[in-house]
Amino acid sequence: MKTSLVLISLALATAAMASTPSSPNPGSSGSQVAKKSKVTSPGPATILTRSENRPLAPDECALPLNGETMKTECCPHDKVERPRCVSPLEALLTEGAYAMPPSGSRDTGTCRPFEFWPTGGILHRDLFTSNYVDLDGSAAVQAFECTDFSYDGHKGNDTIVRSFSEQIAGVPIFAVADGVVLDANDGEDDQNTTWAGQAANYVVLEHPCGRVTKYWHLRKNSVEVATGDSVVKGEQIGLMGSSGISTWPHLHFQVEEDGTHVEPYMGACGPANSMWEDQPGVNYNNYISDAAFCVEDLATAPNLPWPQPRTGHFSADDETIYIWMLVHNLPANSTRDWTFIKPDGSIAATAGPFEFNNGTNWGTQYGQYWFDIDAIPGLANTLGTWRVQFRINGILKMDLPFDMVADRGDIWNRKPQPIGGWLVPAEPEAQNAIVANVSTNLLGDDKDYDMVKYRYMWYVNDVLVRDVTSAGQSDILARDKAESGDEVLCCIIPQDGKEYGDDWYCLDATVALAGDANGDLLVNIGDLLLVINMWGPCPDPFRPCGADLNEDLRVDVQDLLLVIGDWSRG
């Protein structure tokens, strides 16, 4: 693929941005540029004398600390007794919308599988699904895989981001399929943390087969569509927020058929057939999705989801080391413990184990902890890179570095770490939306623990068609932006709010010829014969078959026209 014009455009676009982080170096397609800018490091460990005349703690290996000071809270937007997050009045209004005469998008075809989760981000990394559809008709709760990952009467799937920081930066919401807007609302407050019957910002879509999808709790003034608009698969329709009955920024994604809510996931206690082309996996393992050090007093700081203070440095004159974290899937009766490691790799101190005091499994838990610097042997007077290891139930969950410097004037910003990525599908077809995913270290994407955003620049045949900065670790190119035979390039660069990373990471693909039924990269008599031989409904009523080029679950004249239109190309 030709990328020279694109890379020149990248350089010009970033250089021209005013009041933004410093301009990045453009990368080349499919790889990172080797050129790196050097960052001054604090150097080897150095012994300091504290400005105060306080005695230093004895430098003993693995000295047990007396304990941690902490405040912790569980289960934001999780399994507790509460009203439904879509108010009865809003539900009634939107149900009325699609009970009206057909809007013109409906046909008699079977619905196509969903290709992607309709949110910028990656499930079980920077996104976490806290609630699925409640499939139990009684007061009990049952999700599609026989877990309690829901609450009584819940009709959709709730997927949270890590904090309001991501919401403020922007996390796109996309139409999961082609359709028509049945209803939309905007202008409501969007940083709610309590359930008080508030109105939400939302979009309701009807799709060609009659299926309805709902997108709830969107950010104020972010809704990009209006009632009656047509949308295509992968088109951005809004941004994630916390409007309406919501305690955390998230998307409530609800699917309905024949006026009844349904679970799009298949499972042992759910539907027999999935609505997904490739059903997203569910991560039930315990993990930490976000964490940082800070110097601010967490005893008085607001809890998550409010933006949290962040740093990767402490000075010899600081008195307290503060740490906060966001933990998922915490098993019942869990414990935690800490290890502080010196720049030379030796253990300075340990603390714990301490009880979480959780008698049940916690889907999401956020905690804030702090330690007296003088209580950690050597920390107050040894410069260099220290590490804090944190274990849950004896299993290492994070190993975070921080730098000890002489004074706060020695603190410098470190650029975000290099990224990788991949496209889905890797070999797109004309009917696909294309997803660009970011590969990065979830807790180590920035050495200062700044929240990292990503700039996505999408090109089709060297023409820029989408340029967006998002806190989400994925972005989507809508289905109608690239056609049969087009060359697609997505270049991504991280930024921390102060600087861009050193390198672009670029991903490329060529959209397959729509009429290439047999996959040989040509359109000829072989494709024509395959269409004729498979004429009629596809054998599997839920999945397109080989010659079903437009994926309407039948091979007919529409597929024949695609072959004729692409004849001899390739």
Side-chain angles (χ1 to χ4, degrees):
M1 175 185 295
K2 296 180 181 179
T3 60
S4 58
L5 291 177
V6 168
L7 298 180
I8 292 171
S9 299
L10 290 174
L12 292 175
T14 52
M17 294 177 67
S19 303
T20 57
S22 58
S23 300
N25 298 318
S28 60
S29 177
S31 64
Q32 294 170 292
V33 171
K35 181 180 178 181
K36 305 284 184 180
S37 61
K38 294 184 179 179
V39 178
T40 304
S41 70
T46 304
I47 302 299
L48 263 193
T49 301
R50 287 182 65 93
S51 58
E52 301 92 333
N53 291 320
R54 290 184 276 181
L56 299 176
D59 190 9
E60 297 177 6
C61 181
L63 176 72
L65 302 180
N66 290 331
E68 61 184 7
T69 308
M70 53 79 70
K71 65 176 182 179
T72 184
E73 188 169 340
C74 92
C75 315
H77 206 77
D78 211 39
K79 293 162 280 296
V80 293
E81 289 297 324
R82 59 192 174 183
R84 294 172 182 170
C85 66
V86 178
S87 70
L89 177 59
E90 288 175 326
L92 181 62
L93 291 174
T94 57
E95 286 168 2
Y98 64 76
M100 294 166 62
S103 60
S105 67
R106 186 187 305 270
D107 64 24
T108 58
T110 302
C111 293
R112 302 177 189 176
F114 300 143
E115 296 176 11
F116 52 83
W117 186 256
T119 301
I122 300 175
L123 289 172
H124 311 297
R125 288 189 56 79
D126 59 327
L127 302 176
F128 177 78
T129 303
S130 58
N131 295 301
Y132 296 91
V133 176
D134 176 24
L135 298 171
D136 189 290
S138 69
V141 172
Q142 183 168 267
F144 72 101
E145 288 189 327
C146 310
T147 69
D148 63 350
F149 271 52
S150 186
Y151 62 88
D152 187 33
H154 191 240
K155 296 182 178 182
N157 291 267
D158 290 338
T159 301
I160 67 173
V161 289
R162 293 175 288 181
S163 72
F164 280 132
S165 295
E166 281 87 351
Q167 174 183 320
I168 293 166
V171 178
I173 304 299
F174 302 97
V176 77
D178 293 359
V180 170
V181 179
L182 288 179
D183 195 12
N185 188 54
D186 202 350
E188 311 294 346
D189 291 341
D190 63 2
Q191 290 190 334
N192 297 334
T193 58
T194 59
W195 295 65
Q198 308 97 314
N201 306 311
Y202 61 82
V203 173
V204 180
L205 302 179
E206 184 186 37
H207 304 288
C209 59
R211 179 181 287 164
V212 169
T213 55
K214 297 181 176 182
Y215 310 78
W216 231 259
H217 308 298
L218 304 184
R219 198 172 93 177
K220 185 177 182 179
N221 299 329
S222 77
V223 174
E224 298 190 11
V225 295
T227 302
D229 287 352
S230 294
V231 299
V232 299
K233 178 168 50 183
E235 179 178 341
Q236 182 172 324
I237 58 175
L239 296 170
M240 185 181 290
S242 189
S243 61
I245 305 174
S246 175
T247 60
W248 197 281
H250 73 289
L251 172 69
H252 172 97
F253 175 61
Q254 184 167 321
V255 182
E256 298 184 356
E257 291 186 336
D258 298 323
T260 302
H261 68 278
V262 294
E263 172 60 82
Y265 289 81
M266 69 176 183
C269 292
N273 295 294
S274 175
M275 293 184 179
W276 303 100
E277 180 73 33
D278 184 11
Q279 179 163 301
V282 180
N283 182 7
Y284 297 115
N285 296 320
N286 173 229
Y287 71 100
I288 299 172
S289 67
D290 203 6
F293 301 98
C294 62
V295 295
E296 290 80 0
D297 184 0
L298 288 179
T300 58
N303 286 335
L304 286 165
W306 296 106
Q308 298 294 290
R310 299 166 181 265
T311 189
H313 297 86
F314 290 92
S315 76
D317 291 324
D318 290 326
E319 296 183 358
T320 307
I321 179 170
Y322 293 91
I323 308 171
W324 60 265
M325 67 187 70
L326 183 62
V327 182
H328 300 291
N329 300 327
L330 185 69
N333 304 310
S334 287
T335 62
R336 62 183 177 272
D337 62 81
W338 308 82
T339 302
F340 289 82
I341 300 175
K342 297 180 180 180
D344 64 5
S346 63
I347 295 176
T350 62
F354 303 106
E355 300 286 341
F356 277 98
N357 295 316
N358 61 318
T360 61
N361 295 338
W362 284 353
T364 303
Q365 181 268 349
Y366 50 96
Q368 292 123 321
Y369 309 90
W370 50 98
F371 300 86
D372 185 347
I373 284 179
D374 276 346
I376 301 170
L379 180 57
N381 67 323
T382 305
L383 299 186
T385 301
W386 287 68
R387 299 195 340 263
V388 174
Q389 293 183 339
F390 181 75
R391 291 173 173 81
I392 295 178
N393 301 324
I395 300 173
L396 182 66
K397 295 298 178 180
M398 65 182 189
D399 187 343
L400 301 185
F402 67 91
D403 285 293
M404 199 71 180
V405 298
D407 60 64
R408 300 208 66 76
D410 295 334
I411 294 174
W412 68 99
N413 183 66
R414 276 82 60 92
K415 297 179 180 181
Q417 294 295 290
I419 62 170
W422 72 100
L423 294 178
V424 177
E427 298 178 351
E429 299 179 355
Q431 69 271 14
N432 293 135
I434 305 174
V435 183
N437 296 284
V438 171
S439 174
T440 187
N441 185 321
L442 197 59
L443 300 180
D445 52 358
D446 187 274
K447 290 186 176 181
D448 300 311
Y449 302 98
D450 293 324
M451 189 208 70
V452 176
K453 299 179 287 187
Y454 305 91
R455 185 177 182 186
Y456 299 87
M457 298 185 74
W458 290 90
Y459 295 82
V460 176
N461 299 328
D462 290 341
V463 177
L464 181 66
V465 296
R466 177 171 168 82
D467 182 353
V468 63
T469 297
S470 164
Q473 292 181 2
S474 76
D475 192 58
I476 300 178
L477 184 69
R479 176 192 59 77
D480 65 342
K481 297 299 183 183
E483 299 179 348
S484 177
D486 284 348
E487 294 182 339
V488 175
L489 179 72
C490 181
C491 288
I492 314 166
I493 193 165
Q495 62 155 288
D496 61 6
K498 307 175 187 72
E499 295 181 273
Y500 283 102
D502 286 327
D503 303 319
W504 292 93
Y505 194 88
C506 294
L507 303 160
D508 64 275
T510 300
V511 179
L513 297 173
D516 181 16
N518 59 9
D520 64 356
L521 305 182
L522 299 171
V523 179
N524 52 29
I525 189 66
D527 304 291
L528 178 61
L529 292 175
L530 185 59
V531 167
I532 293 172
N533 289 335
M534 297 190 69
W535 200 270
C538 290
D540 184 342
F542 299 100
R543 290 289 182 272
C545 46
D548 177 18
L549 301 175
N550 62 356
E551 295 191 349
D552 63 355
L553 303 181
R554 52 185 179 266
V555 180
D556 55 20
V557 68
Q558 299 302 320
D559 304 293
L560 180 61
L561 291 175
L562 289 174
V563 173
I564 295 171
D566 278 343
W567 193 268
S568 78
R569 294 178 61 188

